[in-house]
Amino acid sequence: LFPHSASLTRFCAVIRCLLHTQDATWMNPLSSLRCNNAEEIILMLKASDRVLHDVMHAFEDCADIDAGSEADLKQVLTLKKWYDFDRRRELRCFVVDGDLVGVSQRYLSEDAADLASEKEEILRKVKDFFRDVVKERFDGLSTYAFDIHISKRDRITIIDFNHSGESTNPLLYTWEELLHASGEAELRLCDSEDSRRTVPEKSIYGFPVDFNRLGDVLNSKDTDLFT
């Protein structure tokens, strides 16, 4: 994967590894996507089931991609400089048929109750950013999601783009309500009660997928599985 890993280590002191490796953060001592060298990047990639899905099955739900054209597409590993963002101010924005239909807090285990008083102002700035920056420049898709961070000084940074569908978490929405949304977009945030009820991502992903499969077997009523 990295024929010149030493060069990569020299190139980036602290980077953010993005290929849907969020499910592998439990492997990282910092419990985040922050990587300091090529070895940590490779560890995150190998530990991520989402990466395996993106590499092997990324287009299985697409109606306009055939096997021949899929083989010609090149995989891209995205590395970005690391920034310590305020997780409460990271948002996922949902676009359907070219319109912004919803905005959700990105990390549901974070209490964003203190942002409630800024809710309308934050939403207005997100709408302006989508209209002035994203919509005209990202015209390859009409339905997608994008992640941003909005600082206390109103600086908006794009973190990532994601396609629509079940492999992209709708967070405080459901895909059904997003795809059939009507009216003005709203911003949904977690209060202290919501954040306490939310299971941290590390707890969800912090064990091998084989354990999930074993649980399915143990809960199965098919006795032939044990013979």
Side-chain angles (χ1 to χ4, degrees):
L1 181 60
F2 294 109
H4 304 291
S5 60
S7 299
L8 179 62
T9 301
R10 289 194 298 270
F11 174 70
C12 268
V14 179
I15 59 178
R16 181 185 183 104
C17 182
L18 286 177
L19 187 65
H20 291 178
T21 53
Q22 191 72 43
D23 63 325
T25 55
W26 64 278
M27 291 286 292
N28 191 315
L30 299 173
S31 297
S32 71
L33 296 176
R34 173 173 173 165
C35 297
N36 296 287
N37 52 58
E39 287 71 24
E40 291 180 2
I41 297 172
I42 295 171
L43 178 66
M44 295 276 284
L45 293 174
K46 291 178 67 176
S48 174
D49 294 318
R50 292 185 180 183
V51 167
L52 180 63
H53 175 273
D54 285 354
V55 172
M56 303 299 296
H57 308 290
F59 301 101
E60 63 182 9
D61 296 325
C62 298
D64 56 347
I65 296 289
D66 56 46
S69 60
E70 181 179 345
D72 296 332
L73 296 175
K74 295 182 179 180
Q75 300 288 345
V76 176
L77 173 65
T78 303
L79 304 175
K80 298 182 179 180
K81 184 177 180 180
W82 177 263
Y83 290 96
D84 287 315
F85 288 138
D86 182 348
R87 285 163 58 99
R88 299 171 308 149
R89 303 182 74 92
E90 287 192 35
L91 306 172
R92 175 160 290 174
C93 310
F94 300 96
V95 180
V96 175
D97 294 332
D99 296 321
L100 184 69
V101 298
V103 182
S104 171
Q105 182 177 331
R106 175 66 183 85
Y107 292 100
L108 306 187
S109 59
E110 301 289 332
D111 179 6
D114 61 331
L115 299 179
S117 61
E118 305 176 49
K119 195 172 180 179
E120 294 303 319
E121 183 65 13
I122 291 174
L123 181 58
R124 183 188 64 79
K125 291 170 182 174
V126 171
K127 288 180 177 180
D128 290 345
F129 181 79
F130 169 69
R131 183 194 64 232
D132 299 336
V133 178
V134 177
K135 188 172 184 177
E136 298 301 323
R137 301 184 186 185
F138 193 75
D139 57 358
L141 292 175
S142 61
T143 302
Y144 55 92
F146 64 97
D147 298 339
I148 62 172
H149 174 267
I150 180 167
S151 71
K152 294 181 179 179
R153 298 183 177 181
D154 299 333
R155 177 182 174 85
I156 297 180
T157 303
I158 294 177
I159 298 174
D160 197 13
F161 280 87
N162 300 280
H163 62 81
S164 61
E166 292 303 318
S167 60
T168 298
N169 194 334
L171 302 171
L172 293 172
Y173 291 88
T174 66
W175 275 113
E176 183 177 359
E177 64 178 317
L178 287 168
L179 294 174
H180 299 92
S182 59
E184 290 294 316
E186 66 172 306
L187 168 60
R188 297 184 180 179
L189 301 173
C190 288
D191 57 22
S192 56
E193 182 88 13
D194 296 327
S195 61
R196 283 197 299 268
R197 287 199 301 261
T198 303
V199 179
E201 289 180 319
K202 187 173 181 178
S203 299
I204 298 174
Y205 301 120
F207 54 88
V209 69
D210 294 344
F211 284 17
N212 273 334
R213 295 170 181 163
L214 178 60
D216 292 339
V217 171
L218 294 177
N219 291 327
S220 174
K221 296 180 180 178
D222 186 357
T223 56
D224 291 341
L225 291 171
F226 301 97
T227 59

